[in-house]
Amino acid sequence: MKKLYDVIIVGAGSGGAILSLLLARQGIDVLMLERDVQPLHDIRSEILQPNGQKVLDDLGLLKTIPTEAVHQTHQFDFFRIGKGRLCTFNYGDLPVPYNSALTAFSGPLHQHVLDATAAETTLTVLYGAVFNGLMRRGKTVMGVMAEHEGRNYDIRAKLVVGADGIKSAVRKALGIPAQVYQYPEGYLLGVLQRPPGFDHRSRYYIGRKEILGLLPVPNDQLYFFYLLSNATRAGLDAAGFESIKNAMAEIDPSLAQPLKQLTRLDQTIFRPCFRVRSKTWVADGAVIIGDAAHAMNPHVSQGRMQAMQDAVALSRVAQGCLAKGDCSALSLEAFERERRPHVEMLQRLGDEQTFFWNSASPVIQFTVDRVLRTLDDNARLRYQVLTTTAGLRQQSPFSLADKLVAVGLLPDFRSDAG
Ligand SMILES: Cc1cc2nc3c(=O)[nH]c(=O)nc-3n(C[C@H](O)[C@H](O)[C@H](O)COP(=O)(O)OP(=O)(O)OC[C@H]3O[C@@H](n4cnc5c(N)ncnc54)[C@H](O)[C@@H]3O)c2cc1C
């Protein structure tokens, strides 16, 4: 390890790993510190949306994703539990080449990105290295203090990037005020054998404070996520787990057989959900990206994609700052100005969806059904929602007039325009 780098990135998650590659490919000298000894490999899966596919494609990493890591899906069918289909979103309606959703096992996909870092001669990745604090001169960040294999290091850098997730230690060390909100519900995740007759379409069931998502994944498997309150998960015992399995089989009877393989709670994972709102993302000599700056509710399935898009935007801005020898907050602000509007729109959308979809109120459920049924018939509004989820649209999917159309209070004369 050297004593001085151009850039130190704290955290080798999606945002950090993509940024490290982009910077190293510009010949910039980068050190990436990762607390974990090796990347996490468990059953969690995520949707790689079209905007994230483009980021990987531009790095030459999309077509080489191992086939056992991703499954291509075009259609997402939305159902009201016990009442049938409400709406279908078809990624095939999007512009080529990114006109599908890729459901990926997060571990192998992330490993694929990290493997690419090995070829970069100006990039050092240090696993088991924990960020402990910032080196400063006055208000300006000059580097980091880190611990690796029992030894403490002071390492200088022209720019320090906090890509260290929701509970970001870099954000705290910078003294950036942030609201870290934990939603009352998270998701129970697991993988089942895909039942016979379950095709390549994804299913999304909404009920009374109940959500079940079923996404086909490689090897004829099916990834599920089931909405669960944090309190229920905390007190969940074997009997409670059985009743969750029964509830899932009741929602989709094709799961009854595969669920028999799930005999213990530790075959599943519970992921809590957070939103982070940080007052600023930049400081003199430092910047925060991804969940550290702006975690969002997974309803929009965009958190990882936004961390990757941050990396793309920051790599451009950082290159200019390093070339000028000016990594002040004022220079880095261009990054925040570019990214904040899109991210905040998605955060608001995630909260709206949480309010409507996680609700037990019959009035709200009626409204949700009405909106989804309108979308099923209305190609224009459906496309606006699809392009937002796909990360291709910067503005909110609905204007006020669109909202009135969606709940059936206004006719839509442009409904056939895609
Ligand atoms: C249930 C659920 C489903 C989701 N589904 C999707 C989806 O379908 N699509 C999508 O795009 N997003 C999804 N997300 C969101 C996505 O997982 C996150 O937004 C994304 O992982 C954020 O990436 P990141 O690089 O900012 O942070 P992280 O992935 O959290 O990476 C941070 C890294 O920093 C390291 N670190 C932390 N502290 C230190 C330290 N002190 N020193 C050194 N290293 C440190 C950590 O070990 C970690 O490797 C989902 C989230 C949840 C909860």
Side-chain angles (χ1 to χ4, degrees):
M1 200 183 337
K2 298 188 299 184
K3 287 205 154 56
L4 172 69
Y5 291 84
D6 289 327
V7 180
I8 294 177
I9 301 171
V10 180
S14 310
I18 296 289
L19 180 64
S20 73
L21 274 174
L22 287 163
L23 293 175
R25 287 183 184 181
Q26 294 167 24
I28 293 169
D29 207 13
V30 182
L31 172 68
M32 182 158 64
L33 304 173
E34 170 52 48
R35 174 180 64 183
D36 290 342
V37 181
Q38 57 182 30
L40 199 62
H41 278 262
D42 59 24
I43 54 173
R44 77 188 65 189
S45 302
E46 284 172 15
I47 299 174
L48 186 57
Q49 298 283 358
N51 58 332
Q53 294 173 32
K54 178 163 185 344
V55 172
L56 292 182
D57 207 10
D58 290 347
L59 281 163
L61 294 176
L62 183 68
K63 296 184 180 74
T64 49
I65 297 175
T67 48
E68 64 275 14
V70 283
H71 185 94
Q72 192 176 42
T73 302
H74 287 97
Q75 280 109 337
F76 282 70
D77 293 321
F78 281 70
F79 300 89
R80 166 64 58 192
I81 293 174
K83 290 204 180 142
R85 194 188 66 84
L86 296 167
C87 180
T88 297
F89 290 91
N90 188 344
Y91 277 69
D93 294 338
L94 294 173
V96 284
Y98 311 114
N99 58 343
S100 68
L102 300 177
T103 308
F105 284 121
S106 311
L109 175 68
H110 190 49
Q111 186 66 58
H112 175 62
V113 176
L114 290 173
D115 287 348
T117 62
E120 300 304 325
T121 50
T122 63
L123 168 60
T124 306
V125 185
L126 212 58
Y127 292 99
V130 184
F131 165 87
N132 275 335
L134 293 167
M135 296 165 62
R136 289 179 187 265
R137 185 182 298 147
K139 273 173 42 197
T140 304
V141 173
M142 305 296 291
V144 304
M145 294 178 276
E147 195 237 291
H148 183 239
E149 295 179 343
R151 286 185 60 189
N152 292 317
Y153 296 88
D154 289 354
I155 320 159
R156 288 177 50 217
K158 296 170 190 162
L159 177 65
V160 171
V161 181
D164 51 343
I166 292 162
K167 296 184 180 158
S168 174
V170 176
R171 185 184 66 226
K172 285 182 201 144
L174 287 168
I176 295 177
Q179 285 176 358
V180 180
Y181 171 71
Q182 181 170 7
Y183 293 89
E185 291 104 13
Y187 288 94
L188 190 73
L189 316 172
V191 174
L192 301 170
Q193 208 51 44
R194 208 179 311 153
F198 199 111
D199 62 13
H200 296 284
R201 301 162 82 105
S202 293
R203 298 179 190 171
Y204 196 103
Y205 292 95
I206 313 170
R208 190 174 173 276
K209 237 180 182 343
E210 204 170 17
I211 291 175
L212 172 65
L214 301 172
L215 311 182
V217 281
N219 302 327
D220 291 330
Q221 289 177 306
L222 191 66
Y223 173 70
F224 72 80
F225 53 90
Y226 185 73
L227 188 77
L228 206 60
S229 77
N230 302 328
T232 306
R233 174 60 186 91
L236 200 61
D237 57 10
F241 184 45
E242 276 310 305
S243 63
I244 286 175
K245 284 167 53 186
N246 291 339
M248 285 170 55
E250 211 168 296
I251 294 169
D252 189 322
S254 76
L255 299 183
Q257 194 59 29
L259 277 167
K260 289 191 178 143
Q261 303 153 1
L262 215 58
T263 51
R264 300 182 325 271
L265 188 56
D266 66 8
Q267 290 172 288
T268 64
I269 293 177
F270 180 73
R271 281 189 83 182
C273 301
F274 293 88
R275 182 191 60 225
V276 172
R277 286 198 177 120
S278 308
K279 188 153 190 267
T280 177
W281 303 351
V282 297
D284 290 327
V287 54
I288 51 174
I289 68 169
D291 276 8
H294 52 65
M296 58 188 65
N297 191 281
H299 266 310
V300 280
S301 68
Q302 272 288 333
R304 189 180 291 270
M305 307 302 105
Q306 293 305 307
M308 286 161 58
Q309 289 209 279
D310 281 358
V312 173
L314 180 59
S315 71
R316 264 187 269 112
V317 171
Q319 189 186 28
C321 291
L322 291 167
K324 279 189 297 176
D326 175 10
C327 290
S328 63
L330 206 61
S331 286
L332 291 165
E333 244 172 38
F335 157 69
E336 183 171 341
R337 270 200 307 276
E338 176 180 340
R339 295 290 303 132
R340 198 181 259 278
H342 192 193
V343 159
E344 289 191 345
M345 181 277 285
L346 290 167
Q347 285 186 316
R348 281 193 299 274
L349 186 63
D351 283 354
E352 262 177 41
Q353 292 183 346
T354 304
F355 175 78
F356 282 102
W357 295 8
N358 298 17
S359 170
S361 149
V363 178
I364 290 178
Q365 288 170 50
F366 173 81
T367 312
V368 170
D369 289 6
R370 193 142 187 179
V371 170
L372 284 170
R373 286 206 178 98
T374 305
L375 292 181
D376 205 41
D377 290 337
N378 188 315
R380 182 181 72 86
L381 291 185
R382 200 170 60 244
Y383 192 73
Q384 288 178 191
V385 172
L386 179 62
T387 44
T388 307
T389 308
L392 307 177
R393 186 184 161 93
Q394 306 279 321
Q395 315 83 19
S396 162
F398 291 159
S399 64
L400 179 61
D402 289 337
K403 283 183 182 165
L404 295 173
V405 170
V407 292
L409 294 176
L410 267 186
D412 187 7
F413 300 109
R414 297 178 293 157
S415 63
D416 288 322

mmCIF file of all heavy atoms in Angstrom, residues 22 36 39 62 76 96 113 119 157 162 179 187 206 248 276 318 331 379 383 392 394 401 411 418:
data_model
loop_
_atom_site.group_PDB
_atom_site.id
_atom_site.type_symbol
_atom_site.label_atom_id
_atom_site.label_comp_id
_atom_site.label_asym_id
_atom_site.label_seq_id
_atom_site.Cartn_x
_atom_site.Cartn_y
_atom_site.Cartn_z
ATOM 1 N N LEU A 22 -14.167 2.782 -13.435
ATOM 2 C CA LEU A 22 -14.230 3.933 -14.340
ATOM 3 C C LEU A 22 -13.023 4.846 -14.153
ATOM 4 O O LEU A 22 -12.453 5.341 -15.127
ATOM 5 C CB LEU A 22 -15.525 4.717 -14.086
ATOM 6 C CG LEU A 22 -16.808 4.043 -14.579
ATOM 7 C CD1 LEU A 22 -18.039 4.674 -13.934
ATOM 8 C CD2 LEU A 22 -16.906 4.166 -16.097
ATOM 9 N N ASP A 36 -15.445 -6.003 4.401
ATOM 10 C CA ASP A 36 -15.618 -7.460 4.372
ATOM 11 C C ASP A 36 -14.372 -8.134 3.783
ATOM 12 O O ASP A 36 -13.693 -7.564 2.926
ATOM 13 C CB ASP A 36 -16.846 -7.843 3.549
ATOM 14 C CG ASP A 36 -18.134 -7.436 4.262
ATOM 15 O OD1 ASP A 36 -18.078 -7.200 5.486
ATOM 16 O OD2 ASP A 36 -19.169 -7.327 3.585
ATOM 17 N N PRO A 39 -16.522 -10.685 -0.928
ATOM 18 C CA PRO A 39 -17.886 -10.241 -1.243
ATOM 19 C C PRO A 39 -18.924 -11.245 -0.750
ATOM 20 O O PRO A 39 -18.681 -12.455 -0.701
ATOM 21 C CB PRO A 39 -17.899 -10.177 -2.768
ATOM 22 C CG PRO A 39 -16.480 -10.222 -3.182
ATOM 23 C CD PRO A 39 -15.700 -10.883 -2.107
ATOM 24 N N LEU A 62 -21.594 -6.367 -19.534
ATOM 25 C CA LEU A 62 -22.973 -6.880 -19.558
ATOM 26 C C LEU A 62 -23.054 -8.246 -20.232
ATOM 27 O O LEU A 62 -23.604 -9.202 -19.677
ATOM 28 C CB LEU A 62 -23.902 -5.876 -20.262
ATOM 29 C CG LEU A 62 -25.377 -6.286 -20.274
ATOM 30 C CD1 LEU A 62 -25.958 -6.245 -18.863
ATOM 31 C CD2 LEU A 62 -26.200 -5.386 -21.193
ATOM 32 N N PHE A 76 -44.006 -8.418 -16.350
ATOM 33 C CA PHE A 76 -44.310 -8.424 -14.919
ATOM 34 C C PHE A 76 -45.822 -8.318 -14.775
ATOM 35 O O PHE A 76 -46.415 -7.306 -15.152
ATOM 36 C CB PHE A 76 -43.660 -7.218 -14.213
ATOM 37 C CG PHE A 76 -42.197 -7.403 -13.958
ATOM 38 C CD1 PHE A 76 -41.293 -7.400 -15.002
ATOM 39 C CD2 PHE A 76 -41.717 -7.588 -12.665
ATOM 40 C CE1 PHE A 76 -39.926 -7.575 -14.772
ATOM 41 C CE2 PHE A 76 -40.362 -7.764 -12.428
ATOM 42 C CZ PHE A 76 -39.465 -7.760 -13.484
ATOM 43 N N VAL A 96 -34.705 -0.983 -27.777
ATOM 44 C CA VAL A 96 -33.589 -1.936 -27.768
ATOM 45 C C VAL A 96 -32.290 -1.156 -27.548
ATOM 46 O O VAL A 96 -32.244 0.032 -27.889
ATOM 47 C CB VAL A 96 -33.505 -2.731 -29.105
ATOM 48 C CG1 VAL A 96 -34.564 -3.783 -29.182
ATOM 49 C CG2 VAL A 96 -33.553 -1.796 -30.298
ATOM 50 N N VAL A 113 -18.238 -8.000 -11.460
ATOM 51 C CA VAL A 113 -17.699 -6.631 -11.553
ATOM 52 C C VAL A 113 -16.349 -6.566 -10.831
ATOM 53 O O VAL A 113 -15.373 -6.012 -11.357
ATOM 54 C CB VAL A 113 -18.695 -5.604 -10.938
ATOM 55 C CG1 VAL A 113 -18.107 -4.206 -10.942
ATOM 56 C CG2 VAL A 113 -20.024 -5.621 -11.700
ATOM 57 N N ALA A 119 -7.783 -6.522 -13.430
ATOM 58 C CA ALA A 119 -6.984 -6.212 -14.622
ATOM 59 C C ALA A 119 -6.463 -4.771 -14.614
ATOM 60 O O ALA A 119 -5.657 -4.393 -15.461
ATOM 61 C CB ALA A 119 -7.840 -6.441 -15.868
ATOM 62 N N ALA A 157 -5.019 11.092 0.122
ATOM 63 C CA ALA A 157 -5.627 11.071 -1.219
ATOM 64 C C ALA A 157 -6.100 12.468 -1.562
ATOM 65 O O ALA A 157 -6.388 13.278 -0.677
ATOM 66 C CB ALA A 157 -6.808 10.112 -1.249
ATOM 67 N N GLY A 162 -16.986 8.266 -0.082
ATOM 68 C CA GLY A 162 -17.725 7.384 0.833
ATOM 69 C C GLY A 162 -18.775 6.631 0.037
ATOM 70 O O GLY A 162 -19.800 7.195 -0.344
ATOM 71 N N GLN A 179 -30.937 12.269 7.465
ATOM 72 C CA GLN A 179 -32.078 11.546 8.065
ATOM 73 C C GLN A 179 -31.964 10.101 7.601
ATOM 74 O O GLN A 179 -32.020 9.853 6.394
ATOM 75 C CB GLN A 179 -33.397 12.053 7.509
ATOM 76 C CG GLN A 179 -33.862 13.368 8.008
ATOM 77 C CD GLN A 179 -35.151 13.761 7.259
ATOM 78 O OE1 GLN A 179 -35.639 13.067 6.381
ATOM 79 N NE2 GLN A 179 -35.666 14.903 7.626
ATOM 80 N N TYR A 187 -38.378 -7.113 3.850
ATOM 81 C CA TYR A 187 -38.777 -8.260 3.026
ATOM 82 C C TYR A 187 -38.073 -9.537 3.480
ATOM 83 O O TYR A 187 -36.865 -9.534 3.742
ATOM 84 C CB TYR A 187 -38.435 -8.007 1.555
ATOM 85 C CG TYR A 187 -39.337 -6.975 0.927
ATOM 86 C CD1 TYR A 187 -38.966 -5.635 0.888
ATOM 87 C CD2 TYR A 187 -40.575 -7.338 0.416
ATOM 88 C CE1 TYR A 187 -39.807 -4.680 0.325
ATOM 89 C CE2 TYR A 187 -41.421 -6.392 -0.146
ATOM 90 C CZ TYR A 187 -41.031 -5.069 -0.186
ATOM 91 O OH TYR A 187 -41.860 -4.132 -0.729
ATOM 92 N N ILE A 206 -50.438 -8.106 -4.708
ATOM 93 C CA ILE A 206 -50.671 -7.076 -3.685
ATOM 94 C C ILE A 206 -51.945 -7.441 -2.925
ATOM 95 O O ILE A 206 -52.966 -7.778 -3.539
ATOM 96 C CB ILE A 206 -50.908 -5.680 -4.315
ATOM 97 C CG1 ILE A 206 -49.860 -5.398 -5.392
ATOM 98 C CG2 ILE A 206 -50.885 -4.593 -3.257
ATOM 99 C CD1 ILE A 206 -50.180 -4.164 -6.200
ATOM 100 N N MET A 248 -48.277 -17.724 1.794
ATOM 101 C CA MET A 248 -47.718 -17.621 0.438
ATOM 102 C C MET A 248 -48.368 -18.646 -0.496
ATOM 103 O O MET A 248 -48.688 -18.343 -1.653
ATOM 104 C CB MET A 248 -46.194 -17.825 0.477
ATOM 105 C CG MET A 248 -45.450 -16.615 1.029
ATOM 106 S SD MET A 248 -43.692 -16.922 1.366
ATOM 107 C CE MET A 248 -43.100 -17.511 -0.186
ATOM 108 N N VAL A 276 -32.349 7.247 3.099
ATOM 109 C CA VAL A 276 -31.361 8.194 3.615
ATOM 110 C C VAL A 276 -31.509 9.504 2.850
ATOM 111 O O VAL A 276 -31.548 9.500 1.615
ATOM 112 C CB VAL A 276 -29.916 7.647 3.430
ATOM 113 C CG1 VAL A 276 -28.886 8.725 3.790
ATOM 114 C CG2 VAL A 276 -29.695 6.401 4.276
ATOM 115 N N ALA A 318 -14.942 13.949 -11.221
ATOM 116 C CA ALA A 318 -13.679 13.778 -10.488
ATOM 117 C C ALA A 318 -12.484 13.923 -11.427
ATOM 118 O O ALA A 318 -11.462 14.510 -11.053
ATOM 119 C CB ALA A 318 -13.651 12.407 -9.801
ATOM 120 N N SER A 331 -16.207 22.582 -6.565
ATOM 121 C CA SER A 331 -15.977 21.877 -7.843
ATOM 122 C C SER A 331 -16.763 20.575 -7.904
ATOM 123 O O SER A 331 -17.254 20.193 -8.963
ATOM 124 C CB SER A 331 -14.493 21.552 -8.012
ATOM 125 O OG SER A 331 -13.804 22.706 -8.310
ATOM 126 N N ALA A 379 -51.760 2.736 -22.742
ATOM 127 C CA ALA A 379 -50.359 2.499 -23.135
ATOM 128 C C ALA A 379 -49.460 3.681 -22.786
ATOM 129 O O ALA A 379 -48.306 3.500 -22.399
ATOM 130 C CB ALA A 379 -50.299 2.226 -24.626
ATOM 131 N N TYR A 383 -46.397 3.256 -20.175
ATOM 132 C CA TYR A 383 -45.026 3.469 -20.653
ATOM 133 C C TYR A 383 -44.280 4.455 -19.738
ATOM 134 O O TYR A 383 -43.104 4.283 -19.455
ATOM 135 C CB TYR A 383 -45.063 3.999 -22.090
ATOM 136 C CG TYR A 383 -43.714 3.980 -22.767
ATOM 137 C CD1 TYR A 383 -43.135 2.778 -23.179
ATOM 138 C CD2 TYR A 383 -43.003 5.159 -22.977
ATOM 139 C CE1 TYR A 383 -41.887 2.756 -23.787
ATOM 140 C CE2 TYR A 383 -41.761 5.147 -23.586
ATOM 141 C CZ TYR A 383 -41.212 3.946 -23.994
ATOM 142 O OH TYR A 383 -39.972 3.921 -24.588
ATOM 143 N N LEU A 392 -35.082 5.132 -16.980
ATOM 144 C CA LEU A 392 -34.845 5.872 -18.219
ATOM 145 C C LEU A 392 -35.533 7.232 -18.219
ATOM 146 O O LEU A 392 -35.385 8.000 -19.162
ATOM 147 C CB LEU A 392 -35.350 5.057 -19.426
ATOM 148 C CG LEU A 392 -34.811 3.630 -19.527
ATOM 149 C CD1 LEU A 392 -35.429 2.896 -20.695
ATOM 150 C CD2 LEU A 392 -33.286 3.650 -19.665
ATOM 151 N N GLN A 394 -36.384 10.800 -16.087
ATOM 152 C CA GLN A 394 -35.888 11.606 -14.958
ATOM 153 C C GLN A 394 -37.040 12.246 -14.166
ATOM 154 O O GLN A 394 -36.877 12.563 -13.002
ATOM 155 C CB GLN A 394 -34.985 12.743 -15.474
ATOM 156 C CG GLN A 394 -33.840 12.277 -16.362
ATOM 157 C CD GLN A 394 -32.666 11.769 -15.566
ATOM 158 O OE1 GLN A 394 -32.325 12.332 -14.538
ATOM 159 N NE2 GLN A 394 -32.052 10.692 -16.035
ATOM 160 N N ALA A 401 -52.542 15.964 -13.924
ATOM 161 C CA ALA A 401 -53.609 15.523 -14.848
ATOM 162 C C ALA A 401 -53.537 14.000 -15.038
ATOM 163 O O ALA A 401 -54.578 13.325 -15.057
ATOM 164 C CB ALA A 401 -53.464 16.237 -16.185
ATOM 165 N N PRO A 411 -60.917 11.691 -18.597
ATOM 166 C CA PRO A 411 -60.637 10.817 -19.743
ATOM 167 C C PRO A 411 -59.233 11.126 -20.293
ATOM 168 O O PRO A 411 -58.723 12.217 -20.070
ATOM 169 C CB PRO A 411 -61.714 11.214 -20.752
ATOM 170 C CG PRO A 411 -62.080 12.611 -20.387
ATOM 171 C CD PRO A 411 -61.835 12.780 -18.914
ATOM 172 N N GLY A 418 -47.761 5.574 -27.141
ATOM 173 C CA GLY A 418 -46.840 4.825 -26.291
ATOM 174 C C GLY A 418 -45.734 5.682 -25.739
ATOM 175 O O GLY A 418 -45.598 6.826 -26.027
#
